[in-house]
Amino acid sequence: MTPRRAEPRGHWVLLMLGGLVLAVLLLLDGFANNIVGEAPRDARPVGSPGTVPAAVASGGPVVSLADGAPRSRRMPPKTIALTFDDGPDPEWTPRLLDVLRRHGARATFFTVGARVAEHPELTRRVLREGHEIGSHTYTHVDLAAVPRWRARLELDLTQRALAGAAGVHTRLMRMPYSSRPDGLTGPEWGAARRAGEDGYVVVLTDRDTEDWARPGTTGIVRAALAGERRDEGAVVMLHDSGGDRAGTVAAVEQIIRRLRPQGYRFTTLTEALDLPAAQVRVSAPERAFGWTLITAQRAASTLTGTMGLLLALAGIAYVLRLLALVLLAHVHVRRVRGRERRRGRRQRRRGGAHRPWPDGDPFVGGHEPGEMPPDPFPPVSVIVPAYNEEANIAATVASLLDTDYPGTVEVIVVDDGSTDRTALIVESIALPTVHLIRRRNGGKPSALNTGIGVARAEILVLVDGDTVFQRDTVRHLVAPFADPRVAAVSGNTKVANRGGILGRWQHIEYVIGFNLDRRMFDILRCMPTVPGAIGAFRRSVLAQVGGVPDDTLAEDTDLTMAVCRTGLRVVYEEKALAWTETPSSLRQLWRQRYRWCYGTMQAMWKHRRSVIEHGGSGRFGRRCLPYMMVFQVLLPLFAPAIDLFALYGLLFLDPTVPVLMWTAFVAAQAAAGAYALWLDGEPIRPLWTLPLQQFVYRQLMYLVVVQSVVTALLGARLGWHTIRRTGTLADFRGREQSEGPVGYT
């Protein structure tokens, strides 16, 4: 059909920007949280100690390279510098600050930049209460084991975080995994020297309490008081983050109470050594840059938590949906088989009377005793709208004429301004039951309404020009109309060109995603779509709803929803098979599904009031529209982000969880798919492509939804797209006649 408006392109910019922002935030959160705990000294690689200057290895724990040469400093006698690494922590840092405040003691906190960004208020409290802050890198990385650019980035980002949180930079730095000067390795000294050359005062320790290993309060106190009898001053290493620090909090209380009466003082490093203040005020631009970093990381942290919750909810929702589909499909099959058994019993009670129907009485509703039954073979008008369908139109019309339906069948082909040989091919058929209507191009809904206007029958079958029927399709499609409550019937659409990988993926989707859904909708009496490829309607009902609507791009869904709102039934007939040619390239598939998705959302919005209506309309709205909103809009809309988060989990979290979830999801889909294929009498061989489908096809369908939503939000109107036909159905029709469709692969 002709385009109604140019396809919007600005949405691609929004999609790319959105994906880029999401990826950057996840990477930022992954970078910030890729932290490991302290490692035992004997478990870490040791470099050559000969490269460490003797003055440093045997000197004090505070090292400065202000004038180019390393100078070591020791704490004065009876002066303790309590130092805390790895924070700030929302639980343990405040408790340690409370202890220090009670005793009037001050300390030095070597903070991890990522934790500063997460808890800027704690950083401000540390400074407000007279303590000082040093850098412990941004992600607690081993500076001796990373490239120089990474080491510099770690220290620079920490300064940015401090600037954003408290408006300061720091002159102090402690390397993660470091301890006493005599334990320095060659690579560690190289990292320390480079930091010193950048202006940092490098702080090691005199007494490593190893509280990260949780030796207990007594063990921590014993390590901290190793030089008590000699009145030595010391830099004491402790931790205020990284796990349960109750022992550290209790040990600090005991250390201060034990040493304070002996004349010890507890102060900051710079005050004890009479060094320039550790903190340096920064400019407004530096503070703004730091605030931006903090905001981005906190947003990334919130996003990660939200994505984790969404991943769990989406997994639960999809599992519940699969279970519901399989359960209701089973109910549908039992109901259909029960109806067939009742037909057989009625036939036997009639004494084996002549049965014009090969597989039983077509009646679903029945009639009162003595009342004349309705005509079991009412006249049928088949309407075929066609625009440039020369590749398949002959096969379509031939299949409609080659039917075992005992009643009258007229075929009306509405040529909607084709520019190819479509009309000439139909005209050449020259049969009295085939009618050709030529008209100017006006779109598929208009073409259908033109055909409906000239059709003679009450039962109308609407067929796409790229579809072929089996010989018994019309018969099965008409049978449910024996029940006067049935207003429309959806047939069972099959993929004809399923030879390649893309064809197999679409075949799986049609059987699992479409036909299982239709069984469920049939049971719940809320069918949202009678597909354009194969559907039948009562003419009187179409007149009641105003014909085929033309104000949405999914006219079949729009029409079906309008019919459902009348309170009449729309049912699914699995035996009414139609074979259709699906897109043969990803580009064509994208364009087709883009139109479908956008049109479906238009129809949902158009019929939104059915949710609050009463009777059959309300039943349809409350059952169908929320389901479609969740599983056809919301979850696909967020699915690319969830997939990106799963990749994030593989890179930065425990990969076991996303791998197990993905495996379970694919296994559940495969089980449901095998059941659906079995119900449709199809071989399960195509299921081997299901895992591959998750990496290409599924993402493509999700991006279609994202693009459709963005298009709707931008207020753009999508136009029709013509799918290039390959003539598959012409070849397929010949095989069906000679071999039957079951053997087609």
Side-chain angles (χ1 to χ4, degrees):
M1 304 303 170
T2 55
R4 291 187 281 186
R5 190 167 177 176
E7 179 182 342
R9 301 190 183 278
H11 58 274
W12 275 111
V13 177
L14 292 178
L15 288 175
M16 293 176 66
L17 285 177
L20 179 62
V21 169
L22 179 62
V24 168
L25 289 177
L26 287 176
L27 288 173
L28 176 59
D29 188 74
F31 174 74
N33 289 282
N34 192 23
I35 297 175
V36 295
E38 296 286 351
R41 296 293 296 175
D42 57 2
R44 298 179 58 244
V46 177
S48 171
T51 59
V52 182
V56 173
S58 60
V62 181
V63 182
S64 171
L65 283 81
D67 55 0
R71 296 177 182 273
S72 296
R73 300 283 298 275
R74 295 185 183 275
M75 297 296 288
K78 289 196 173 183
T79 302
I80 299 295
L82 296 174
T83 62
F84 300 94
D85 294 359
D86 296 356
D89 181 272
E91 180 177 1
W92 302 109
T93 302
R95 293 175 65 173
L96 284 166
L97 289 172
D98 290 342
V99 172
L100 296 171
R101 184 174 55 190
R102 273 198 308 271
H103 294 282
R106 287 184 293 166
T108 302
F109 290 80
F110 288 96
T111 55
V112 174
R115 304 287 79 77
V116 171
E118 286 182 3
H119 309 290
E121 71 287 348
L122 288 179
T123 303
R124 291 191 290 269
R125 180 183 171 184
V126 168
L127 295 175
R128 189 170 57 248
E129 295 185 3
H131 309 288
E132 67 184 5
I133 286 178
S135 173
H136 202 47
T137 74
Y138 197 77
T139 65
H140 200 272
V141 71
D142 187 349
L143 295 180
V146 297
R148 294 187 181 186
W149 68 264
R150 171 70 184 276
R152 180 160 293 181
L153 176 66
E154 291 277 339
L155 297 175
D156 182 65
L157 287 177
T158 304
Q159 297 284 32
R160 304 288 187 186
L162 289 172
V168 300
H169 283 170
T170 182
R171 293 189 174 98
L172 303 179
M173 190 276 289
R174 172 178 280 164
M175 298 184 299
Y177 309 106
S178 65
S179 183
R180 296 180 300 273
D182 58 3
L184 276 178
T185 66
E188 287 175 335
W189 167 243
R193 177 175 49 78
R194 288 189 291 271
E197 291 170 352
D198 288 338
Y200 287 97
V201 174
V202 179
V203 181
L204 302 168
T205 188
D206 290 307
R207 301 170 190 171
D208 186 354
T209 64
E210 297 190 351
D211 60 334
W212 53 266
R214 298 184 182 86
T217 301
T218 303
I220 297 172
V221 171
R222 183 186 305 114
L225 300 181
E228 175 185 6
R229 296 181 180 179
R230 298 186 295 273
D231 294 338
E232 294 176 350
V235 176
V236 179
M237 181 187 288
L238 300 144
H239 295 80
D240 63 333
S241 184
D244 186 352
R245 294 290 176 245
T248 300
V249 174
V252 169
E253 184 99 36
Q254 293 186 27
I255 292 168
I256 296 175
R257 286 181 174 176
R258 183 160 174 175
L259 294 182
R260 182 65 65 74
Q262 301 178 36
Y264 280 83
R265 63 177 182 141
F266 295 85
T267 187
T268 63
L269 279 164
T270 57
E271 181 177 337
L273 297 174
D274 197 24
L275 296 173
Q279 272 63 60
V280 180
R281 304 301 299 180
V282 300
S283 64
E286 285 280 356
R287 189 161 190 166
F289 191 94
W291 178 87
T292 302
L293 174 63
I294 289 175
T295 302
Q297 187 182 314
R298 299 187 79 174
S301 179
T302 301
L303 174 68
T304 303
T306 303
M307 294 299 296
L309 178 62
L310 283 177
L311 179 62
L313 292 177
I316 293 171
Y318 274 119
V319 169
L320 292 177
R321 174 179 177 264
L322 281 176
L323 291 175
L325 286 175
V326 171
L327 176 62
L328 291 176
H330 178 69
V331 173
H332 184 267
V333 170
R334 289 176 59 88
R335 186 171 295 182
V336 170
R337 291 176 179 174
R339 190 160 58 230
E340 291 175 348
R341 286 194 295 268
R342 289 193 295 273
R343 290 174 184 169
R345 287 196 295 268
R346 283 199 298 269
Q347 289 296 329
R348 287 192 294 272
R349 285 198 298 269
R350 293 172 186 169
H354 170 66
R355 293 185 301 165
W357 291 78
D359 55 356
D361 191 344
F363 294 108
V364 178
H367 53 277
E368 296 296 326
E371 182 183 340
M372 288 295 294
D375 183 1
F377 313 115
V380 174
S381 295
V382 183
I383 302 171
V384 186
Y387 175 75
N388 289 350
E389 294 286 358
E390 67 175 0
N392 293 313
I393 192 64
T396 297
V397 174
S399 72
L400 297 173
L401 297 174
D402 183 22
T403 177
D404 64 5
Y405 183 67
T408 302
V409 177
E410 68 168 351
V411 178
I412 302 171
V413 179
V414 183
D415 180 66
D416 193 38
S418 297
T419 58
D420 62 1
R421 299 178 59 255
T422 299
L424 295 177
I425 293 173
V426 176
E427 201 170 46
S428 67
I429 296 176
L431 291 176
T433 55
V434 179
H435 309 289
L436 172 66
I437 301 176
R438 296 174 182 260
R439 63 191 301 276
R440 294 181 60 183
N441 182 264
K444 183 178 178 181
S446 178
L448 285 169
N449 286 326
T450 298
I452 292 170
V454 302
R456 304 172 188 173
E458 167 65 10
I459 303 300
L460 305 177
V461 176
L462 310 184
V463 185
D464 284 344
D466 59 354
T467 303
V468 297
F469 279 14
Q470 294 194 164
R471 295 194 73 246
D472 59 354
T473 296
V474 174
R475 176 165 55 84
H476 286 300
L477 200 59
V478 173
F481 286 108
D483 183 348
R485 296 168 298 176
V486 173
V489 180
S490 168
N492 188 348
T493 312
K494 297 286 189 178
V495 175
N497 53 327
R498 61 177 74 169
I501 186 73
L502 186 60
R504 287 187 174 92
W505 284 343
Q506 292 179 85
H507 167 51
I508 292 173
E509 182 188 24
Y510 270 61
V511 175
I512 302 176
F514 295 166
N515 292 336
L516 271 187
D517 274 356
R518 289 195 177 98
R519 294 177 191 273
M520 176 187 69
F521 289 134
D522 193 351
I523 294 296
L524 299 179
R525 299 192 177 187
C526 59
M527 187 79 66
T529 305
V530 172
I534 174 171
F537 297 84
R538 291 189 189 274
R539 182 192 184 104
S540 57
V541 175
L542 291 184
Q544 180 181 344
V545 300
V548 180
D550 63 355
D551 52 350
T552 67
L553 289 179
E555 80 292 331
D556 49 2
T557 299
D558 192 356
L559 174 61
T560 308
M561 289 183 175
V563 171
C564 285
R565 294 180 69 180
T566 66
L568 296 172
R569 291 194 59 189
V570 179
V571 300
Y572 172 63
E573 177 50 64
E574 61 180 331
K575 293 183 179 179
L577 301 181
W579 300 81
T580 188
E581 180 179 347
T582 56
S584 57
S585 70
L586 287 176
R587 177 177 174 81
Q588 292 181 8
L589 179 66
W590 175 279
R591 293 164 71 90
Q592 180 198 65
R593 298 309 173 85
Y594 185 19
R595 180 180 66 82
W596 284 8
C597 181
Y598 187 83
T600 297
M601 289 193 296
Q602 287 179 310
M604 292 169 62
W605 179 254
K606 178 179 178 180
H607 297 282
R608 64 191 182 278
R609 292 190 60 82
S610 63
V611 175
I612 60 175
E613 291 174 346
H614 300 289
S617 179
R619 178 180 62 239
F620 160 77
R622 286 184 288 275
R623 292 180 181 179
C624 182
L625 293 187
Y627 175 87
M628 295 179 71
M629 176 59 69
V630 171
F631 290 103
Q632 295 188 24
V633 179
L634 293 181
L635 286 180
L637 182 64
F638 290 105
I642 293 174
D643 287 344
L644 191 59
F645 179 74
L647 180 61
Y648 163 86
L650 287 174
L651 296 175
F652 297 106
L653 305 176
D654 181 2
T656 306
V657 175
V659 169
L660 288 178
M661 289 188 65
W662 182 84
T663 303
F665 175 73
V666 174
Q669 272 201 319
Y675 182 62
L677 291 167
W678 177 76
L679 289 179
D680 270 19
E682 298 275 3
I684 65 172
R685 290 191 302 273
L687 285 180
W688 72 265
T689 65
L690 190 60
L692 297 176
Q693 189 186 49
Q694 310 304 308
F695 295 105
V696 180
Y697 191 84
R698 187 167 62 94
Q699 276 72 19
L700 184 69
M701 296 299 100
Y702 291 159
L703 289 176
V704 164
V705 177
V706 175
Q707 185 183 17
S708 300
V709 171
V710 172
T711 302
L713 292 177
L714 291 176
R717 189 175 185 185
L718 185 64
W720 280 87
H721 298 301
T722 302
I723 303 300
R724 185 177 63 85
R725 306 302 181 188
T726 62
T728 299
L729 296 179
D731 297 334
F732 171 77
R733 179 65 184 161
R735 283 194 297 270
E736 180 197 349
Q737 290 174 329
S738 62
E739 303 173 10
V742 176
Y744 185 84
T745 56

